[in-house]
Amino acid sequence: QVQLVESGGGLVQPGDSLRLSCAASGDTFSNYAMGWFRQALGKEREFVAAINWSGGNTYYADSVKGRFTISKDNAKSTVYLQANSLKPEDTAAYYCAAGSKWLIRYSMISSYSFWGQGTQVTVSS
């Protein structure tokens, strides 16, 4: 089992940047692939980015490719999401999730077993 706690959300203006963090505790962090998802008010939760257990492979939704960067520090048991050039449509609650080391379908919610409580990102002028 792993427990996840997100932080770093806030209110920013269009074009600004934020770095979201997700601190893990419990099981060995390097055993897990990690993902970031988001859910806007009234919409379904959607995939944002994912990283494999070693940190060597990353995956992104088309909507954030080139603007967001996911990274994983196994020594600190933390996964990050650097979000640049933020847009109003990026406004959502952002959730990190942990899945099996051998996870393949990175964009699927059902691939992840553990979830954090979320951190709100609001992009508005």
Side-chain angles (χ1 to χ4, degrees), residues 15-98:
D16 285 352
S17 298
L18 276 177
R19 188 175 82 155
L20 306 183
S21 300
C22 174
S25 60
D27 202 355
T28 304
F29 184 66
S30 59
N31 286 342
Y32 292 90
M34 300 297 295
W36 283 97
F37 289 75
R38 66 187 182 187
Q39 187 166 16
L41 199 62
K43 296 188 176 181
E44 294 186 351
R45 192 168 297 192
E46 64 175 9
F47 170 73
V48 175
I51 190 165
N52 76 328
W53 65 274
S54 68
N57 293 299
T58 56
Y59 311 85
Y60 297 94
D62 288 343
S63 59
V64 305
K65 202 170 294 183
R67 299 189 297 122
F68 289 15
T69 302
I70 188 171
S71 59
K72 188 175 189 267
D73 188 334
N74 284 333
K76 294 184 178 179
S77 297
T78 301
V79 63
Y80 303 98
L81 184 69
Q82 178 66 43
N84 298 332
S85 302
L86 283 160
K87 304 175 181 180
E89 51 263 43
D90 295 318
T91 295
Y94 283 71
Y95 299 88
C96 72

Side-chain angles (χ1 to χ4, degrees), residues 80-115:
Y80 303 98
L81 184 69
Q82 178 66 43
N84 298 332
S85 302
L86 283 160
K87 304 175 181 180
E89 51 263 43
D90 295 318
T91 295
Y94 283 71
Y95 299 88
C96 72
S100 165
K101 184 175 185 177
W102 311 114
L103 185 155
I104 296 175
R105 297 176 180 175
Y106 286 92
S107 65
M108 292 184 62
I109 292 173
S110 59
S111 294
Y112 298 85
S113 301
F114 306 102
W115 292 81

